[in-house]
Amino acid sequence: MDLTSGRLPSVPHWGPDLGDLTAADAAALSRASEFPHEPSLPHDAVRLAVLPEHWTGWVGRPGLSGSRGGRDWSPKFATTALRIDGQPTTAADGSMVTTEGPTEIEVDAVDAVAELALTVTIGLTAGGVLRVRARVTNTGSQLYGLSSLTLALPIPPLAREILDMCGRWGKERIAQRSPFPVGIHLRENRKGRTGADAATVLHAGTPGFSFQHGEIWAVHTGWSGNHVHYAERLSTGEQVIGGGELLLPGEVELGEGVSYTSPWLYGSYGVGLDEVARRFHRFLRARPQHPSPDRPVTINVWEAVYFDHDLERLVDLAERAAALGVERYVLDDGWFGSRRDDHSGLGDWTVSPDIWPDGLHPIVDKVKELGMEFGLWFEPEMINIDSDAARAHPDWVMATGDRLPVESRFQQVINLGIPECYAFVRNAIFAILAEYDIDYIKWDHNRDLVDAGTQPAGRPGVREQTLAFYRLVDEIKAAHPMLEIESCSAGGARVDLGVLERTERVWVSDCIDPHERQQMHRWTTQLIPPELMGAHIASGESHTTGRVHDLDYRAATAVFGHLGIEWDLAKASPAEMEELSSWIGFYKQHRGLLLAGDLVRVDFPDASMNVHGVVAPDRSTAIYSVVAVDRSEVVSVGRVPLRGLDPERRYRVKPVKELLSRRMRPPLWWGLRPPTVDEYQAPNPGERPRLVPDGEQGVELTGAALAHAGLMPANVDPDHAVLYLVTAVD
């Protein structure tokens, strides 16, 4: 980082370790980063700061945009102080200051003419994630209208391809690639929440980069409201990637002494997408509040009963779940007010006496008696117009322009930016938590914020709503530190590092179809590790797509996340219950690896196959999943590499045969074969055929051989998977 000449901090390099640098080396690196002079360009080379400044000759997107009625719109900051990990530091002689390990650096700067003060914070976290944010303060007496404060990190010109995410409800986080053009690749999100179509992580890398190959620089804006990601390449050759909060007109106006702080912009570098992802994972896992990999198996009742809250049926479901080894039971939507469907009741957070005449005590007590934790669904940021709350306080509905916003899911947004409204919602939640022994909240947010203003003037309120949501969750967690909260937002529309400062998991999608979840899990883990990713086994027919899948595929997909069930178990056959019990047992036995291992996603040329796994940090064990997501044009896709192991250690590889699909043909190295007709007569419908030993079982190879030569997988039909357990033998 270059702080010379009183200028805002610039970053001559972030990426591969450059080894030990002397002060002269660092100065030379900075000089070597300067662009040559060309006609019609500024005489002095542009030194791009993490907050890009227009006065320097930078003609790309400025870091700070705002004015006092048209004045002070192009500030020129000069640094005044430097702190490293909170301690003031001086280097008046120009000597280099070095740090080691996780470090946070703060730089103060002022523009006396524009009457603005700035603090830029840059941190290198555990796991090697870079993060930066800025705070701007109005030091003048006149109001300063802030339009945007976005930060940027430079990337070298060899990064010429972009990858980010798109998506929709029920199909979140779809990767999309494009060339890195001259101009700007801009992703703006104006939904008032992170969004199912959010960029999530914006990558720029060498052309053709993959999970294992190619240098990649990536950024993520850790904010749960309106936000921006962008990649920009100027005609002069400079390239940056950046992001920040997207502010609506007039949303932030700074009086004298008032400050605005941007969200964190996170940066991750790696060779291959897996290394980029692992930096994010290691950063998150190093947090003191990060949940243990010993995540409880959960059942959520939504797809089993929907709004039909019948105590006898719900108790039966709890008993069946407990018998399988389920450890957490979550009562979803429909327990409060007039909430018999999705047309009414939101905002009335009191237990419905019509459905629950004795309150929730009978179901809570039964769940606790069965040895399970109890969880409850809330949607505190929303309101139905058909509710007591809306009838009593119509001004609490977010709106602008003397009209109600277009309706979505038959609901509107309740304005938590109004202190009285915030207190009403807060007190209602606290009352429920005081009366019942609740271990877990599924916190939902089911619609975009459109025309989200504060009545009667209609001033925009998305930022205040986001901050109020954060404050409410923080208050709840402070009063109930053992309570876990899941971020759900019409599925996976609030997945970001801002909400994950406060919650223990996210709901990936309302779609639990394993065919869709294979893709969604593959890319959700580009930002977050598996233990934060809610992954459930649903019924055989998907409620969102209508596809029908065997239990082995549904379960093999779900065990690579925080495992749960969303299925009316009363409709499951005895064979399905036995198989489900086996999968739960497998998950419990291996969740320390499944939810704490290093993510591996294997580059494989046949698009019909999805190969992924987790490897223990000490490289002693691993579990891989080889998935057929389609039908290949050839009979055998060939040998599949198992990457991420220690190349010099020897490993034994075996299929997890207790969980095998009926729809597979084993390769010879398994030492197993299906039984003949004489050996296995008249199998019960739905029962897996027993595999018969036939020679040496499994194979023993080095990590290098498994990574580079690979092994022949079983042939499976589309939408089936085989799991392989790998164990070091030395």
Side-chain angles (χ1 to χ4, degrees):
M1 189 168 66
D2 187 345
L3 272 166
T4 56
S5 305
R7 302 274 288 275
L8 291 181
S10 67
V11 179
H13 173 79
W14 64 295
D17 187 356
L18 302 181
D20 293 332
L21 297 179
T22 66
D25 292 335
L29 178 66
S30 185
R31 288 197 308 275
S33 304
E34 295 178 358
F35 282 72
H37 173 69
E38 287 286 342
S40 300
L41 293 180
H43 292 178
D44 295 329
V46 174
R47 198 187 83 179
L48 181 64
V50 295
L51 183 82
E53 296 175 284
H54 185 64
W55 76 267
T56 65
W58 172 255
V59 291
R61 183 187 178 97
L64 179 65
S65 179
S67 74
R68 304 176 202 275
R71 292 177 44 246
D72 305 326
W73 59 272
S74 180
K76 180 180 180 179
F77 289 106
T79 58
T80 59
L82 167 67
R83 292 177 297 281
I84 298 179
D85 294 330
Q87 299 301 312
T89 301
T90 58
D93 60 354
S95 62
M96 185 175 71
V97 178
T98 61
T99 66
E100 189 172 328
T103 304
E104 190 166 272
I105 298 172
E106 294 176 294
V107 178
D108 294 334
V110 297
D111 180 342
V113 175
E115 297 182 301
L116 294 172
L118 184 75
T119 297
V120 177
T121 304
I122 300 179
L124 188 65
T125 72
V129 168
L130 181 66
R131 65 179 186 174
V132 56
R133 69 180 177 188
R135 181 179 71 248
V136 62
T137 305
N138 179 15
T139 60
S141 58
Q142 289 185 299
L143 203 66
Y144 182 84
L146 182 67
S147 299
S148 69
L149 178 57
T150 53
L151 300 157
L153 293 166
I155 54 174
L158 57 84
R160 296 298 300 278
E161 190 172 66
I162 293 169
L163 183 147
D164 58 9
M165 315 287 175
C166 61
R168 48 165 284 193
W169 176 82
K171 194 175 177 68
E172 293 88 335
R173 280 166 296 286
I174 304 167
Q176 57 180 7
R177 285 180 183 261
S178 61
F180 196 154
V182 173
I184 191 164
H185 173 89
L186 178 63
R187 297 292 306 279
E188 293 186 338
N189 191 292
R190 300 174 182 271
K191 297 176 180 292
R193 54 178 174 170
T194 321
D197 60 342
T200 308
V201 183
L202 172 62
H203 308 77
T206 54
F209 63 82
S210 64
F211 289 118
Q212 274 81 48
H213 304 293
E215 284 192 274
I216 305 167
W217 294 259
V219 291
H220 166 79
T221 301
W223 180 249
S224 306
N226 293 341
H227 65 279
V228 169
H229 289 93
Y230 76 98
E232 188 168 21
R233 182 172 178 236
L234 299 191
S235 62
T236 49
E238 292 106 326
Q239 297 186 169
V240 298
I241 50 176
E245 183 181 4
L246 189 156
L247 298 174
L248 296 176
E251 199 163 24
V252 175
E253 294 183 330
L254 303 177
E256 185 174 6
V258 178
S259 301
Y260 165 86
T261 302
S262 74
W264 285 111
L265 177 71
Y266 294 86
S268 179
Y269 164 84
V271 175
L273 289 160
D274 276 2
E275 187 176 348
V276 170
R278 281 196 290 267
R279 289 195 190 278
F280 285 124
H281 298 181
R282 288 169 183 166
F283 159 67
L284 289 166
R285 286 171 171 170
R287 303 172 303 160
Q289 78 272 27
H290 193 74
S292 159
D294 192 25
R295 306 291 275 143
V297 180
T298 299
I299 186 166
N300 185 293
V301 307
W302 177 244
E303 288 195 3
V305 303
Y306 291 105
F307 292 103
D308 183 15
H309 282 204
D310 175 77
L311 178 59
E312 183 178 351
R313 187 178 178 191
L314 289 168
V315 166
D316 177 72
L317 185 59
E319 291 173 340
R320 292 174 188 269
L324 290 171
V326 171
E327 298 156 310
R328 175 182 287 162
Y329 181 99
V330 181
L331 185 67
D332 211 284
D333 196 355
W335 56 268
F336 53 92
S338 60
R339 191 72 167 174
R340 307 289 80 79
D341 54 32
D342 59 357
H343 289 61
S344 70
L346 281 177
D348 300 336
W349 299 109
T350 55
V351 177
S352 171
D354 299 332
I355 304 302
W356 297 98
D358 299 316
L360 297 179
H361 294 291
I363 188 63
V364 175
D365 293 346
K366 184 62 178 181
V367 166
K368 296 290 181 173
E369 177 189 313
L370 292 168
M372 294 185 289
E373 297 178 1
F374 182 80
L376 192 62
W377 182 95
F378 284 92
E379 193 172 2
E381 298 153 89
M382 299 298 152
I383 188 169
N384 289 123
I385 296 302
D386 183 6
S387 67
D388 293 342
R391 283 184 283 271
H393 303 282
D395 55 314
W396 286 359
V397 178
M398 297 196 83
T400 190
D402 195 29
R403 62 182 182 268
L404 278 178
V406 293
E407 201 170 53
S408 178
R409 290 202 176 197
F410 310 104
Q411 62 192 55
Q412 299 288 352
V413 183
I414 195 168
N415 195 340
L416 297 181
I418 299 173
E420 297 80 8
C421 178
Y422 178 94
F424 171 82
V425 174
R426 175 200 178 278
N427 292 344
I429 295 173
F430 269 69
I432 294 293
L433 294 176
E435 183 171 357
Y436 302 103
D437 185 7
I438 295 172
D439 304 282
Y440 178 86
I441 288 177
K442 179 181 178 181
W443 188 299
D444 216 338
H445 179 292
N446 272 316
R447 65 155 293 166
D448 296 334
L449 273 62
V450 176
D451 281 348
T454 298
Q455 301 187 58
R459 291 184 59 84
V462 171
R463 172 173 168 77
E464 284 304 315
Q465 182 79 354
T466 307
L467 292 172
F469 158 64
Y470 284 167
R471 187 166 67 253
L472 180 56
V473 175
D474 289 345
E475 276 199 66
I476 292 170
K477 294 299 285 287
H480 302 273
M482 302 306 292
L483 181 75
E484 288 198 8
I485 297 180
E486 173 185 47
S487 170
C488 176
S489 186
R494 188 147 65 183
V495 177
D496 63 82
L497 296 189
V499 75
L500 279 169
E501 290 181 26
R502 301 162 170 85
T503 57
E504 282 69 37
R505 82 170 200 169
V506 300
W507 185 227
V508 174
S509 177
D510 282 344
C511 177
I512 320 178
D513 178 332
H515 179 89
E516 302 293 344
R517 279 295 187 114
Q518 283 287 329
Q519 164 257 310
M520 289 188 277
H521 291 181
R522 193 171 184 84
W523 291 107
T524 299
T525 51
Q526 188 59 27
L527 178 65
I528 67 172
E531 64 268 26
L532 300 181
M533 186 174 70
H536 289 187
I537 302 169
S539 58
E541 180 178 342
S542 171
H543 288 215
T544 51
T545 68
R547 290 194 189 102
V548 176
H549 293 105
D550 289 348
L551 176 53
D552 65 273
Y553 187 50
R554 286 138 54 201
T557 301
V559 293
F560 286 91
H562 181 188
L563 181 66
I565 299 167
E566 201 136 344
W567 183 7
D568 186 354
L569 297 176
K571 297 179 179 178
S573 70
E576 287 176 320
M577 292 292 281
E578 182 180 354
E579 186 175 354
L580 184 56
S581 177
S582 295
W583 278 103
I584 291 172
F586 171 81
Y587 172 82
K588 287 184 174 182
Q589 180 183 357
H590 295 288
R591 59 186 159 191
L593 170 59
L594 290 164
L595 304 184
D598 287 339
L599 174 72
V600 175
R601 293 163 296 179
V602 176
D603 295 319
F604 197 68
D606 194 315
S608 70
M609 303 300 292
N610 179 1
V611 184
H612 66 94
V614 286
V615 180
D618 65 0
R619 302 296 181 259
S620 61
T621 56
I623 298 173
Y624 294 91
S625 180
V626 181
V627 187
V629 294
D630 205 341
R631 190 172 176 86
S632 177
E633 69 272 17
V634 295
V635 173
S636 175
V637 298
R639 291 180 296 184
V640 170
L642 301 183
R643 302 194 186 279
L645 303 167
D646 185 333
E648 297 183 0
R649 297 178 77 174
R650 298 188 67 81
Y651 296 90
R652 175 156 288 278
V653 185
K654 290 184 176 182
V656 184
K657 61 179 184 296
E658 296 82 2
L659 308 176
L660 289 175
S661 166
R662 299 184 300 277
R663 309 288 298 186
M664 63 89 203
R665 281 74 63 196
L668 292 177
W669 65 266
W670 280 22
L672 299 168
R673 60 173 174 79
T676 65
V677 174
D678 291 337
E679 291 169 326
Y680 188 43
Q681 289 287 343
N684 294 323
E687 185 178 338
R688 290 192 303 271
R690 295 185 293 268
L691 292 173
V692 178
D694 186 25
E696 184 181 2
Q697 295 182 36
V699 68
E700 186 178 312
L701 288 167
T702 65
L706 290 169
H708 299 297
L711 44 75
M712 192 67 68
N715 282 350
V716 295
D717 288 342
D719 284 350
H720 287 83
V722 175
L723 270 54
Y724 296 88
L725 181 62
V726 181
T727 307
V729 296
D730 54 333

